[in-house]
Amino acid sequence: MIPVTCFKGKKVALFGLGGSGLSSALALKEGGAHVIVWDDAPARNDLARSKGLEARDLAELDWKGLSALVLSPGVPLTHPEPHWTVELAREAGVEVIGDIELFSRERALVCPDAPVICITGTNGKSTTTALTTHLLKSLGRDVQMGGNIGTPVFDLAPLAPHRHYVIECSSYQIDLAPGLAPTAGIHMNLSPDHLDRHGTMENYAGIKERLVAAARTAIVGVDDEMSAAIADRLEAAGHDVRRISGHQTQTHGVFARDGLLICADKGVETVIADLSRAPSLRGQHNAQNAAAACAALLALGVAPQELAAGLESFPGLKHRMQIIARHEGTLFINDSKATNADATAWALASYPRLYWIAGGKPKSGGIEPLGEFFPRIVRAYLIGEAAEEFARTLDGKVPYEISGTLDVAVQRAAADAALDPQAEKVIMLSPACASFDQYPNFEVRGDAFAESVRALLAVPEKTEDA
């Protein structure tokens, strides 16, 4: 645990006792704060009490005696309307902050030299966070990974000057972290998301921009117009900006070209790695992820030639273009995290010959936006509620069958692929749908796919790490 000592002897309110909220409350208590917590769920309040925390209704507090309100990232700060605790805090002149702000203040107080890399963006931030961590570990560095990727930041090892912290930050967390100041800040990309919580695309983009604007080195993806504009603004304001791209040549930053990952320093190019040797980083989107992670390590002083081995050994994230097995020229890939057409587009663009398993609980727009990738699909195997709708879209364009369930789809796809004489073919679960018709979440769906593949091939549970 990282204790929060910056509020020692002060009274702090905390609302929201999910994973990060409970972790923050315990860290504040460990650091000497008088923390009072509350949640709408009685079971969470009971859990907090069992851990020695004071849980009572914040509506009954004297707010003028508080030093801060710590708000869980899932609780609305501004839209669709401020949470009632936010209104009470503002009326009393109490600042409203979140877990990443607490971490930033504690680092500034007790260990300002600890390297911190923060990653945000609409897509790719989890893969980039995991890849950055993997690269640091491959170089023998002491590294901790947490934040929005799953491990609450205060559950990481205590702050130390030699210890690197790689933190994934959601827009919700950034909005509650005015003092965020990472060593390297990464912004990946922008597309419409979470507008119910931020009101407009401009507000959403502005929150993302804060992370890189506050960083010692700003690493900015430039493969979409709004993010490229962020890079331009920061550079014009005198920031140290490194541009990253999955396909566009840059003069100062890291980019991919002709399958090579290249570092550019004021126009001088150095090849970092051949991405064809990194099977878990296939596709233009993963090239941008690799560029971001490498740019962060370069900003910390790592030499370009030190990065290739780590890129090649990266196993990927579970459920995100995850290689489950390779059998007689066929790759089995779990991309269960692709719950909409935009996410599936990246997957379909990454391989030339696909046996595609798709379907589930449909989302608006269906798979019609994926038409440009249909020529890559040898056959589609449709499952779940969306099967009939997807069949109508594919009719006359892509051979398909309605398999109904995932295990049947895996068996049928494997049988067809076994008859395909082509050297490389891919059986891919990339559903373009939510999972809730047949599975509680995409993780369970992805695990079911992996189990079906392993049962079919009679292989032990082991993800290929290439």
Side-chain angles (χ1 to χ4, degrees):
M1 172 185 280
I2 300 174
V4 178
T5 63
C6 55
F7 279 94
K8 184 177 182 179
K10 298 180 180 179
K11 185 182 288 188
V12 177
L14 183 146
F15 185 88
L17 290 167
S20 66
L22 183 60
S23 176
S24 298
L26 292 170
L28 282 160
K29 183 174 184 290
E30 180 70 17
H34 177 194
V35 56
I36 304 164
V37 304
W38 192 247
D39 194 285
D40 289 332
R44 289 183 174 178
N45 293 320
D46 291 341
L47 176 61
R49 292 186 184 106
S50 74
K51 294 183 178 294
L53 294 167
E54 181 182 349
R56 58 188 173 101
D57 191 346
L58 299 183
E60 300 173 358
L61 289 184
D62 176 7
W63 281 76
K64 292 191 181 300
L66 295 175
S67 294
L69 167 65
V70 177
L71 198 66
S72 174
V75 180
L77 177 65
T78 57
H79 293 80
E81 60 183 23
H83 191 259
W84 62 265
T85 56
V86 175
E87 296 281 17
L88 289 174
R90 288 175 176 166
E91 288 172 8
V94 173
E95 65 172 346
V96 182
I97 57 177
D99 61 335
I100 299 301
E101 177 66 13
L102 289 175
F103 173 82
S104 299
R105 293 188 188 186
E106 191 64 18
R107 175 200 175 215
L109 179 66
V110 305
C111 196
D113 294 331
V116 174
I117 300 169
C118 291
I119 299 102
T120 196
T122 304
N123 295 304
K125 55 185 178 291
S126 292
T127 296
T128 301
T129 300
L131 177 56
T132 303
T133 301
H134 176 81
L135 290 174
L136 286 165
K137 285 182 177 179
S138 73
L139 295 172
R141 306 294 176 90
D142 183 345
V143 57
Q144 296 283 300
M145 179 179 76
N148 190 59
I149 198 168
T151 302
V153 69
F154 292 113
D155 288 358
L156 303 180
L159 289 157
H162 64 281
R163 185 166 286 145
H164 297 66
Y165 295 84
V166 183
I167 310 297
E168 179 183 323
C169 295
S170 70
S171 56
Y172 304 163
Q173 289 173 312
I174 300 167
D175 211 11
L176 290 163
L180 182 62
T183 311
I186 300 173
H187 166 74
M188 301 299 299
N189 47 56
L190 280 168
S191 59
D193 202 9
H194 302 310
L195 300 190
D196 58 327
R197 281 288 299 272
H198 300 305
T200 66
M201 189 65 189
E202 289 71 24
N203 286 344
Y204 174 59
I207 291 165
K208 296 288 191 183
E209 185 172 346
R210 285 186 212 164
L211 183 145
V212 282
R216 190 173 74 193
T217 298
I219 298 163
V220 184
V222 294
D223 288 343
D224 64 272
E225 289 185 7
M226 291 189 79
S227 297
I230 289 174
D232 291 342
R233 282 194 295 273
L234 294 180
E235 190 170 69
H239 291 268
D240 176 16
V241 178
R242 318 284 175 91
R243 288 173 166 81
I244 56 169
S245 173
H247 63 96
Q248 301 179 64
T249 297
Q250 304 298 313
T251 58
H252 193 59
V254 183
F255 63 94
R257 185 178 64 209
D258 299 328
L260 299 177
L261 192 65
I262 299 168
C263 166
D265 184 3
K266 298 178 181 178
V268 178
E269 296 182 358
T270 303
V271 173
I272 294 173
D274 180 349
L275 289 177
S276 69
R277 296 175 61 85
S280 292
L281 295 170
R282 290 284 294 260
Q284 193 177 104
H285 64 306
N286 274 323
Q288 190 195 50
N289 296 338
C294 288
L297 267 70
L298 294 171
L300 296 182
V302 175
Q305 59 269 24
E306 296 183 79
L307 298 171
L311 291 168
E312 292 172 15
S313 64
F314 179 57
L317 278 183
K318 202 173 181 183
H319 311 302
R320 294 167 175 84
M321 297 288 283
Q322 177 194 11
I323 298 174
I324 299 300
R326 186 191 300 270
H327 181 72
E328 296 180 354
T330 300
L331 277 176
F332 293 80
I333 294 179
N334 168 22
D335 193 43
S336 183
K337 179 65 167 65
T339 58
N340 56 51
D342 285 346
T344 291
W346 290 113
L348 299 184
S350 299
Y351 292 93
R353 192 166 182 82
L354 290 154
Y355 292 81
W356 178 35
I357 301 173
K361 187 173 181 62
K363 293 190 175 180
S364 61
I367 56 171
E368 291 186 5
L370 301 175
E372 66 179 293
F373 304 109
F374 288 172
R376 296 169 176 257
I377 301 167
V378 180
R379 191 171 182 82
Y381 306 83
L382 307 178
I383 63 173
E385 288 181 10
E388 297 287 350
E389 176 189 334
F390 284 12
R392 289 190 292 271
T393 303
L394 296 176
D395 194 34
K397 302 169 187 173
V398 174
Y400 68 88
E401 64 178 66
I402 295 179
S403 303
T405 61
L406 191 50
D407 57 338
V408 172
V410 169
Q411 293 169 11
R412 296 288 298 153
D416 290 342
L419 301 175
D420 187 339
Q422 294 296 317
E424 182 181 274
K425 55 265 186 180
V426 173
I427 295 173
M428 179 185 288
L429 169 68
S430 189
C433 283
S435 62
F436 306 129
D437 57 336
Q438 294 178 319
Y439 301 96
N441 53 53
F442 73 83
E443 292 97 337
V444 174
R445 176 173 62 189
D447 289 341
F449 172 77
E451 289 168 8
S452 294
V453 171
R454 286 191 286 268
L456 181 73
L457 302 180
V459 296
E461 183 172 351
K462 181 177 185 296
T463 301
E464 176 179 310
D465 61 12

